[in-house]
Amino acid sequence: MLPPGADPLRVLHISDMHLTPGRHRLMAFVRSLAALGPDLVVNTGDSIASPDSIGPLLDCLGPLLDKPGAFVYGSNDLFSPKPKNPARYLWRTSAGEHEEYVPDLPWEKLGGELTAAGWLDLNNHRGRLTAGGLDIALAGVHDPHADRDRYDQVAGPADPAADLRLGVLHSPEPAVMDLFAADGYDLLLAGHTHGGQLRVPGYGALTTNCGIDRARVSGLSMHPEISPAGGHTAWLYVSAGLGTSPWAPVRFACRPEASLLTLVPRWA
Ligand SMILES: [Fe+2]
């Protein structure tokens, strides 16, 4: 999806850490990711699960913060986790659960620290950066799952002069991704689904906890799946994420992941 002749671009996509200070193995794994040498780091949210998580998060991101980077929030960056049945998503989604709560996690401090480190805040913002020698136009929205997305604040054609147009959001809601695709974004990055979190071997995810279909609950696909007449179709990568809610610490047949995406030039 890069211009002909461009060098490959290595994008490290992390998501859904739900970090609490005691997750030492998770922090060690995240710390190890810098050795991959990415050109760009994108964090699609749900980074923290405790008021005390920001220091450990910054510590384990470590040298990744010295790379060009961008982030959006997930709903769980705003609200402390509550005790939940991890299987409740089988009969409903968690959309709307947060309407009764006032944010109680330090999401503004989280964003301030990541911004101070040099990463782009894409929560209902556009941005521009250079990574791997490429000029990248970005736009993102705050989490649609918490009804905080305001696409009108980033709407409009993505710059066709950029080498790459990147759209970022936490929950891969098709209606929002339709807008990114129609505006010409080449690649959309999202998280939120935890890959279904509870998967059945041979069948896959039982549910996605958002509007996307089960077949695209994680990994690479296209959006829209069928290109509209004269319209634009974007690549979509949904990360299965790195963690779980502290109150539903179960993943079954669904390994945690951080993803190193290598983007290459499109065929001339
Ligand atoms: Fe999450």
Side-chain angles (χ1 to χ4, degrees), residues 107-202:
W107 58 276
E108 289 171 301
K109 179 174 171 54
L110 168 66
E113 293 284 0
L114 295 177
T115 302
W119 282 13
L120 284 176
D121 179 346
L122 295 178
N123 292 286
N124 301 325
H125 295 305
R126 286 182 171 224
R128 195 95 176 202
L129 56 74
T130 300
L134 298 175
D135 173 27
I136 304 174
L138 304 97
V141 291
H142 200 319
D143 189 7
H145 198 66
D147 196 26
R148 290 180 179 249
D149 56 307
R150 302 291 180 267
Y151 194 84
D152 60 305
Q153 296 180 19
V154 300
D159 188 351
D163 294 319
L164 174 69
R165 290 146 289 273
L166 188 56
V168 182
L169 71 171
H170 179 66
S171 178
E173 295 298 344
V176 183
M177 297 193 298
D178 286 349
L179 301 173
F180 278 111
D183 275 338
Y185 286 91
D186 301 301
L187 171 64
L188 309 180
L189 297 179
H192 172 73
T193 64
H194 298 191
Q197 193 154 322
L198 307 173
R199 296 173 64 96
V200 176

Side-chain angles (χ1 to χ4, degrees), residues 16 18 46 76 170 192 194:
D16 294 273
H18 295 263
D46 277 7
N76 289 290
H170 179 66
H192 172 73
H194 298 191

